[in-house]
């Protein structure tokens, strides 16, 4: 997508009206093939209701507000593939929350089905979008419940988010960061899981545009520069295949697609490679127009033709024809050796499958009549999994969210029970995950498994095609370290339940011990007294107190120093030292001289802060301030690995920050250098750093292995410019392969 330059909004009333009507007509055109009798009037009523309700409202850009619901409806229909009813809901999605229109009004006009969805949209929006201090993970749980209820709610919400992301330019910087982070944290994984791959990568690209501006622009620019070269290669690759496919009488489309900016950046980051090594990554896509009963055979035919020309890599062939992913994705992927010794991924699918891949869960409704019972049951499975996790009494929502999110993104393996029933698990799942996927009672008693008739431990990682038989014992009990063995959210939450139950049992012994001791000093085991002790021993809850007593971490020796008044306990001395309030952190006087480096918000107040250890920002980095509960203000880079989570969950604690020029103070940062192990290379590196650039080195470790060396260098620099100059100079040395900044 292209960057849109923000223009000052300057339409007069007449032009504005025309603009609104133009968008409304475009929506009708998109809906046309699906309009049944009476639908046109309904859409019109919804449009008029929304237009009237939002009449006096404007977007941050200055545009009339109604253009937003119109755009959301358009996305819902054209890009997600939903129909008339969803378009109506999209038109109304902000009315109940922001205007005089009530849910009763909607129900009266459009009936209960639409009112139900609009209600869901309103609820989601009040829980997620509002800038309140409520724990947002809790809200995420609610969203998923709605999802399990009617997936259209979440699909329209995705359309809403997509439009907001596309028009984020006019928002304030803090809002841009918060919204972008939330998008990466919650919405992109959801889009991925729902099979909306195109929307997922657009959301990620848009978010990156705000969270990592420089990198985004750089990669976009370089992609543009290298476009011709890429196109030439793709054409060369396609040419021979195309000819044979035509000779075979197949109807098809074939084209190349570059990777998204975000996915290129991900590769650069995770693999520690340079742009040059990944920019030409792209996938060739072949979409076949085949009859329903021929599509699978045709895909394999294409596979055979391609591999006649190019050699396939057997480990990188993915058959999602026979075993579709749980979100419904079907295709055949093969990676082959193309011209000039380059690996090229080819994705082969039918038109119907392609529709699934692009419209995801939404396409599901349209093909419902067809022979897609397999698909349907897969979705059902997925929704029921979600419901199951949600209904488990585990109270720690943040953990839940993290587990769930990691489950959203991972690829899957297919494993079988001894009877041949298929189980789909995320890649990396263990025998223990498998046991819990059967039943929590099986998981809790699991002592090992037989994988393909061979005995393996609980922690054994499963692979696609494995047949797994779980071995149980009645003596077995889940333990804390099981949490490190399992990967699935379901197994984790079941193990936590079991541990909690176990803890409760142990705690009962502790409770008895405590009650006896209280009796001894003539104090009652009243709520008040228990609470005094919980506070005194700094335990999170009475249960924890009992438990610590039972396992003898607390011996109650101090009980003697308590006073007993009546039957009430009085602690020996005040135990609660008041914690510094969050707001106080903002008014603290700067304590060190480096406190002068940052200005917050619009004012030029200088405030005490700490630089976060996780990303070690230096002046010039894009940063934000985050108010912590106990350590005051911390400065993180906007591309810090923890940033997305912080911004998404605690947006209200974020403070805008920027750097002030100051050449007196140096900051510690690190670089990782990989290159060919050559005589004198270390000398050359240190010579550039301390000799030519006069930068202080704080530490240097070099390891070499099989002709390569990896160096970790810690240096003191003044700002990002200086660091970049250093990196450029080091890159200029012979044999240096990559240089990246250390995160920790
Ligand atoms: Mn909206």
């Amino acid at each position: 997508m292209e960057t849109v330059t923000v223009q000052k909004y300057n339409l007069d009333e007449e032009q504005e009206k025309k603009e609104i009507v133009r968008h409304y007509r475009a929506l009708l055109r998109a809906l046309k093939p699906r309009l049944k009798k009476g639908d046109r009037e309904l859409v019109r009523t919804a449009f008029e209701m929304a237009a009237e309700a939002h009449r006096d409202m404007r977007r941050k850009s200055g545009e009339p507000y109604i253009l937003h619901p119109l755009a959301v409806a358009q996305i819902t229909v054209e890009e997600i593939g939903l129909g008339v009813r969803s378009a109506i809901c999209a038109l109304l999605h902000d009315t109940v929350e922001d205007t005089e229109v009530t849910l009763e009004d909607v129900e009266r006009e459009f009936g209960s089905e639409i009112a139900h969805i609009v209600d869901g949209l309103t609820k989601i929006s009040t829980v997620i979008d509002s800038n309140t201090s409520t724990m947002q993970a809790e809200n995420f749980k609610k969203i998923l419940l709605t999802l399990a209820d009617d997936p259209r709610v979440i699909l329209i919400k995705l359309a809403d988010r997509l439009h907001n992301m596309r028009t984020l330019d006019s928002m304030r910087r803090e809002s841009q960061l918060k919204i972008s982070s939330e998008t990466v944290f919650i919405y992109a994984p959801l889009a991925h899981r729902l099979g909306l791959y195109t929307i997922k990568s657009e959301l990620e690209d848009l978010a990156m545009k705000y969270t990592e501006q420089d990198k985004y622009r750089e990669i976009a620019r370089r992609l543009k520069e290298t476009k011709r070269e890429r196109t030439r290669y793709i054409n060369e690759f396609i040419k021979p295949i195309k000819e044979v496919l035509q000779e075979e009488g197949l109807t098809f489309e074939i084209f190349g697609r570059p990777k998204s900016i975000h996915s290129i950046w991900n590769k650069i980051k995770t693999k520690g490679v340079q742009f040059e090594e990944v920019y030409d990554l792209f996938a060739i896509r072949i979409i076949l127009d085949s009859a329903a009963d021929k599509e699978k055979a045709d895909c394999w035919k294409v596979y055979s033709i391609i591999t006649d020309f190019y050699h396939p890599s057997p480990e990188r062939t993915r058959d999602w024809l026979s075993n579709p992913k749980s979100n419904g994705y079907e295709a055949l992927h093969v990676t082959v050796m193309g011209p000039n010794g380059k690996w090229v991924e080819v994705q082969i699918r039918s038109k119907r499958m392609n529709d699934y891949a692009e419209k995801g869960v939404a396409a599901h409704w349209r093909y419902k009549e067809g022979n897609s019972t397999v698909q349907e049951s897969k979705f059902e499975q997925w929704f029921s999994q979600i419901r199951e996790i949600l209904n488990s009494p585990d109270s720690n929502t943040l953990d839940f969210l993290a587990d769930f999110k990691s489950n959203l993104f991972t690829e899957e393996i297919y494993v079988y029970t001894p009877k041949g029933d298929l189980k789909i698990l995320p890649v990396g799942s263990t025998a223990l995950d498998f046991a819990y996927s059967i039943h929590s009672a099986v998981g809790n008693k699991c002592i090992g498994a037989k994988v393909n008739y061979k005995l393996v431990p609980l922690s054994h990682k499963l692979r696609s095609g494995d047949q797994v038989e779980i071995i149980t014992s009645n003596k077995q009990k889940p333990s804390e370290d099981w949490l490190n063995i399992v990967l699935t959210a379901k197994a984790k939450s079941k193990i936590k339940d079991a541990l909690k139950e176990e803890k409760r049992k142990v705690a009962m012994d502790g409770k008895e011990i405590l009650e006896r001791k209280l009796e001894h000093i003539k104090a009652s085991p009243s709520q008040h007294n228990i609470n005094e002790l919980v506070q005194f021993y700094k335990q999170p809850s009475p249960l924890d107190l009992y438990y610590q007593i039972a396992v003898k971490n607390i011996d109650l020796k101090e009980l003697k120093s308590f006073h007993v008044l009546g039957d009430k306990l009085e602690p020996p001395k005040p135990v609660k030292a008041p914690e510094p309030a969050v707001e106080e952190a903002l008014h603290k006087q700067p304590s060190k001289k480096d406190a002068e480096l940052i200005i917050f918000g619009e004012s030029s107040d200088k405030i005490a802060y700490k630089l976060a250890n996780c990303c070690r920002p230096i002046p010039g980095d894009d940063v934000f301030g985050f108010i912590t509960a106990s350590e005051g203000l911390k400065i993180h880079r906007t591309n810090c690995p923890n940033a997305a989570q912080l911004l998404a969950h605690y947006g209200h604690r974020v403070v805008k920050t920027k750097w002030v020029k100051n050449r007196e103070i140096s900051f510690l940062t690190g670089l990782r250098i990989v290159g060919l192990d050559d005589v004198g290379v270390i000398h050359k590196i240190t010579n550039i750093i301390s000799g030519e650039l006069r930068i202080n080195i704080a530490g240097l470790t070099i390891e070499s292995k099989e002709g390569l060396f990896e160096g970790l260098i810690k240096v003191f620099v003044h700002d990002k410019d200086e660091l970049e100059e250093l990196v450029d100079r080091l890159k200029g040395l012979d044999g240096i392969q990559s240089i990246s900044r250390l995160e920790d």
Side-chain angles (χ1 to χ4, degrees), residues 17-178:
K17 262 196 192 135
K18 273 197 189 137
E19 186 67 6
I20 295 170
V21 170
R22 195 172 65 79
H23 282 271
Y24 173 61
R25 292 221 174 102
L27 175 63
L28 281 180
R29 266 200 306 283
L31 277 170
K32 198 155 178 220
R34 309 198 188 176
L35 289 175
K36 295 202 191 73
K37 204 166 163 281
D39 281 353
R40 186 179 285 271
E41 290 68 32
L42 275 179
V43 176
R44 187 177 184 93
T45 313
F47 166 63
E48 280 169 355
M49 193 179 209
E52 174 61 24
H54 294 299
R55 195 183 49 204
D56 300 321
M57 295 166 63
R58 292 199 173 259
R59 303 199 80 209
K60 283 257 153 57
S61 59
E63 293 175 321
Y65 195 86
I66 184 67
L67 290 178
H68 167 65
L70 274 169
V72 175
Q74 190 90 9
I75 294 170
T76 305
V77 176
E78 280 190 325
E79 295 177 54
I80 302 188
L82 292 171
V84 178
R85 253 134 285 278
S86 303
I88 290 172
C89 297
L91 284 171
L92 299 170
H93 82 270
D94 279 333
T95 52
V96 175
E97 194 198 347
D98 299 335
T99 75
E100 307 276 281
V101 173
T102 64
L103 203 59
E104 289 71 47
D105 296 335
V106 175
E107 180 157 6
R108 193 174 343 100
E109 280 305 328
F110 306 99
S112 60
E113 186 190 353
I114 285 176
H116 186 69
I117 296 174
V118 172
D119 187 32
L121 285 162
T122 312
K123 283 190 182 128
I124 287 190
S125 142
T126 41
V127 291
I128 292 201
D129 300 338
S130 55
N131 220 341
T132 58
S133 55
T134 40
M135 192 69 81
Q136 305 211 350
E138 192 60 50
N139 304 334
F140 187 62
K141 216 167 167 177
K142 285 186 199 140
I143 295 177
L144 289 167
L145 274 171
T146 336
L147 168 74
D149 188 28
D150 188 332
R152 280 176 292 181
V153 174
I154 210 73
L155 291 168
I156 297 167
K157 187 66 204 165
L158 275 169
D160 181 31
R161 177 52 60 120
L162 183 57
H163 185 244
N164 286 335
M165 286 301 293
R166 283 176 180 168
T167 52
L168 204 55
D169 272 339
S170 38
M171 301 291 275
R172 291 192 340 269
R173 179 84 182 125
E174 301 94 290
S175 311
Q176 288 176 342
L177 282 176
K178 177 179 179 284

Side-chain angles (χ1 to χ4, degrees), residues 230-238 255-257 282 284:
R230 216 167 27 242
T231 314
R232 204 179 315 126
Y233 186 87
I234 290 174
N235 289 339
E236 188 191 340
F237 182 92
I238 286 176
F255 50 89
R257 285 174 52 93
F282 48 80
I284 300 285

